[in-house]
Amino acid sequence: MDFALSDEHRMLKELAQRFVKDELMPLEGAVLAREADGKGIHITKDEKAKIDAVSQKLGLWGLDAPEEMDGFDLPQVALIGVNEAMGSTVTPYTLPPDSPNLRMLMATVNDQQREAYLAPYAAGKTISAIGISEPGAGADPAGMITRAVRDGDDWVITGRKIWTSRAAEADFTIVMAVTDKEKGARGGMSAFLVDKGTPGFNVLRRIPMIGGAFTYEVALDDCRVPGWKLLGVEGQGFAPMQVRLSTRRMEMAAWCIGLAQRALDMMCDYAPQRVTFGAPLSSRQAVQWWAADAAMKIHAARLMAYDCAWKLDQGRDVRQEISMVKVFATEMAWEVIDQAMQCFGAMGMTKEMPLQLMAASVRNMRIYDGPSEVHRMVVARNLMGTKR
């Protein structure tokens, strides 16, 4: 087994690390101040424009977009290092286009949708969102009640979506709806492309989340969409939705590795400098074990992530591995960041340091795209051969 990245992928990882260090981390002070002032976690339009220009010039756009759309069509293995770097900062920035929705579109679009939606999205010209969760249906899609009914050549969608990121600013939202109530998630769920401003698509409220993030609640009130905006095959929306979810879960694992590595680095830099009771913190066994355990768990998570990514690139069924790495990486990062906060003492509790936003981000990820308990259920079900 060769655990080394190819030269191309190693250089890409190093490029992403330099980009984060030079362009994103210098903005953290302003981001932290805005969040502490109750304005949420965000970058300004001017800051984003500058970052966009730099990242595009460096060739960091469209990393996994199709080559025929000026993308690089890179494998998942190459993206682990990039996402680890991007996850190591609290400055909120996504390299265009956002991979999960990109891959869902790539797996489903027809020729008309390719030109109207995929091409501009792959080029970073549009923003997308996806509406899956509902007030009564989160991790279990079988509870989804949003309905899409044929009306002539159109579809009429009625229901509610919640926890939808970017719903207010997205140019289009991928809306999941039940088209066959009897079949439900097993052949009765479809995906639709709903443009911003479509009558009946109403963003009800912005929901503040911990860590200065926001999601939205959306109502679909007799929302009419043309028939050609059915994404993929009617009733077969569950599988491409899982492609999207799997991609995000892989991203989350890499982000958590990056966050945990930064927390460990901060702890290792600080502990030798901080003297208590006549000795540096780095001489205390508790702190030494925090660092040692963190290094071991980060290494394990990184190997799990690369193993899963490599198998995914080989076309293997990695649903088990994705559930395992999503749980392990998010819970590992939560533990490492918490111990770093403990090491810094009262300073670790301040909103002047990034640790509190790092912790909040990881805490969200332990829920987003399937809570740890559901993923453990999936792993156990596969191990024991049970249906539930």
Side-chain angles (χ1 to χ4, degrees):
M1 294 183 183
D2 185 357
F3 287 93
L5 290 173
S6 68
D7 288 342
E8 177 189 2
H9 297 166
R10 176 182 54 79
M11 289 189 291
L12 174 63
K13 178 180 179 179
E14 292 171 354
L15 176 64
Q17 289 172 333
R18 289 197 302 271
F19 167 71
V20 169
K21 180 181 178 182
D22 295 343
E23 304 297 332
L24 299 186
M25 287 190 177
L27 295 175
E28 286 191 341
V31 170
L32 288 166
R34 290 170 196 142
E35 193 276 330
D37 200 31
K39 298 176 181 177
I41 178 172
H42 69 278
I43 54 176
T44 67
K45 290 183 178 180
D46 289 343
E47 289 167 346
K48 185 178 185 303
K50 179 179 180 294
I51 299 170
D52 278 345
V54 173
S55 57
Q56 188 171 28
K57 184 178 180 180
L58 290 175
L60 291 172
W61 284 30
L63 294 179
D64 54 345
E67 289 184 357
E68 63 268 23
M69 295 178 180
D70 296 324
F72 295 94
D73 197 23
L74 291 176
Q76 288 282 358
V77 164
L79 298 179
I80 293 296
V82 173
N83 287 320
E84 182 179 333
M86 295 299 294
S88 65
T89 178
V90 297
T91 298
Y93 181 75
T94 300
L95 293 169
D98 193 30
S99 290
N101 287 355
L102 171 72
R103 289 182 176 266
M104 184 173 180
L105 290 171
M106 289 169 58
T108 51
V109 292
N110 57 33
D111 291 340
Q112 187 175 3
Q113 294 165 350
R114 177 180 296 273
E115 181 179 351
Y117 289 94
L118 179 57
Y121 188 64
K125 296 178 180 178
T126 56
I127 300 171
S128 73
I130 187 166
I132 301 175
S133 295
E134 300 181 3
D140 182 8
M144 186 179 296
I145 60 174
T146 293
R147 295 290 308 277
V149 179
R150 283 187 180 275
D151 185 19
D153 293 332
D154 299 339
W155 289 90
V156 177
I157 308 173
T158 303
R160 291 279 181 106
K161 296 295 178 181
I162 200 166
W163 321 127
T164 303
S165 301
R166 299 186 303 274
E169 59 264 35
D171 297 290
F172 66 93
T173 299
I174 302 171
V175 175
M176 304 303 301
V178 176
T179 48
D180 188 328
K181 188 175 181 180
E182 296 300 319
K183 295 180 179 178
R186 300 180 180 276
M189 184 184 295
S190 303
F192 299 88
L193 297 161
V194 182
D195 295 330
K196 184 177 184 178
T198 299
F201 181 86
N202 303 307
V203 178
L204 299 182
R205 62 185 176 118
R206 185 172 74 163
I207 306 171
M209 311 296 286
I210 63 171
F214 297 96
T215 61
Y216 296 88
E217 182 176 7
V218 176
L220 296 115
D221 298 319
D222 293 330
C223 181
R224 182 177 294 271
V225 297
W228 71 272
K229 294 188 179 183
L230 169 70
L231 185 59
V233 179
E234 179 184 345
Q236 301 302 312
F238 187 79
M241 182 185 75
Q242 289 299 313
V243 171
R244 187 260 176 207
L245 291 171
S246 295
T247 303
R248 181 66 84 203
R249 289 161 183 162
M250 286 296 300
E251 281 186 336
M252 286 184 179
W255 293 341
C256 285
I257 293 165
L259 286 165
Q261 184 65 61
R262 184 174 181 190
L264 174 59
D265 292 344
M266 291 173 66
M267 186 161 47
C268 290
D269 287 342
Y270 177 73
Q273 302 176 41
R274 175 61 169 164
V275 176
T276 61
F277 302 101
L281 285 180
S282 56
S283 69
R284 310 293 184 189
Q285 186 182 67
V287 177
Q288 292 174 350
W289 283 21
W290 286 345
D293 287 347
M296 288 186 281
K297 291 175 182 179
I298 291 169
H299 182 59
R302 189 175 284 125
L303 290 176
M304 287 176 70
Y306 276 111
D307 171 75
C308 185
W310 182 81
K311 289 177 179 176
L312 190 60
D313 290 334
Q314 299 299 311
R316 299 191 189 183
D317 182 351
V318 292
R319 285 173 291 181
Q320 174 105 334
E321 287 87 343
I322 283 176
S323 285
M324 289 193 291
V325 73
K326 201 267 185 180
V327 172
F328 186 85
T330 55
E331 295 189 356
M332 174 276 296
W334 174 257
E335 178 182 338
V336 172
I337 295 168
D338 183 69
Q339 290 172 342
M341 295 174 78
Q342 194 76 5
C343 180
F344 275 85
M347 192 186 306
M349 302 300 106
T350 69
K351 289 201 169 188
E352 296 177 356
M353 294 191 68
L355 285 169
Q356 50 91 17
L357 279 186
M358 294 161 64
S361 175
V362 171
R363 191 64 188 86
N364 280 331
M365 285 189 271
R366 289 173 60 195
I367 294 292
Y368 290 168
D369 293 86
S372 297
E373 292 74 20
V374 169
H375 288 289
R376 282 189 166 91
M377 181 180 72
V378 170
V379 174
R381 181 182 62 200
N382 292 338
L383 291 173
M384 300 178 182
T386 56
K387 293 184 180 180
R388 297 291 298 175

